[in-house]
Amino acid sequence: MTDHVYRVIDLVGSSETGIEDAINSAITKAGRTVRHMRWFEVVETRGHIENNKVAHYQVTLKVGFSVEDENVTLQP
């Protein structure tokens, strides 16, 4: 059985079009530098209002990613 160990980070994504786009934006951008992302949890949803209309959606996520094992190679 494999042990599962995760590190959790907070991300905030925003979008002018919707909550789902804000989530995808945050995960896609983080995926450029964070490896092995496995799950997310939406912990907060906010928005920005301009001229009595929704201007931006903002979503705070907790994202879990797998912690890598150290691969130690001994050189003779």
Side-chain angles (χ1 to χ4, degrees), residues 41-54:
E41 173 186 4
V42 175
V43 294
E44 188 172 30
T45 308
R46 290 179 298 284
H48 175 71
I49 301 170
E50 287 182 11
N51 300 320
N52 297 322
K53 293 184 179 181
V54 175

Side-chain angles (χ1 to χ4, degrees), residues 2-70:
T2 303
D3 293 330
H4 297 282
V5 177
Y6 301 98
R7 179 154 186 185
V8 178
I9 57 173
D10 291 329
L11 298 176
V12 179
S14 64
S15 170
E16 294 179 352
T17 58
I19 293 169
E20 187 173 338
D21 284 341
I23 293 167
N24 285 323
S25 173
I27 291 173
T28 298
K29 189 151 191 177
R32 295 179 190 155
T33 57
V34 179
R35 294 181 297 185
H36 309 298
M37 289 188 292
R38 300 293 183 234
W39 55 266
F40 73 92
E41 173 186 4
V42 175
V43 294
E44 188 172 30
T45 308
R46 290 179 298 284
H48 175 71
I49 301 170
E50 287 182 11
N51 300 320
N52 297 322
K53 293 184 179 181
V54 175
H56 289 92
Y57 298 87
Q58 194 174 51
V59 180
T60 302
L61 310 168
K62 290 198 175 291
V63 176
F65 60 95
S66 299
V67 176
E68 294 180 345
D69 291 331
E70 286 188 46

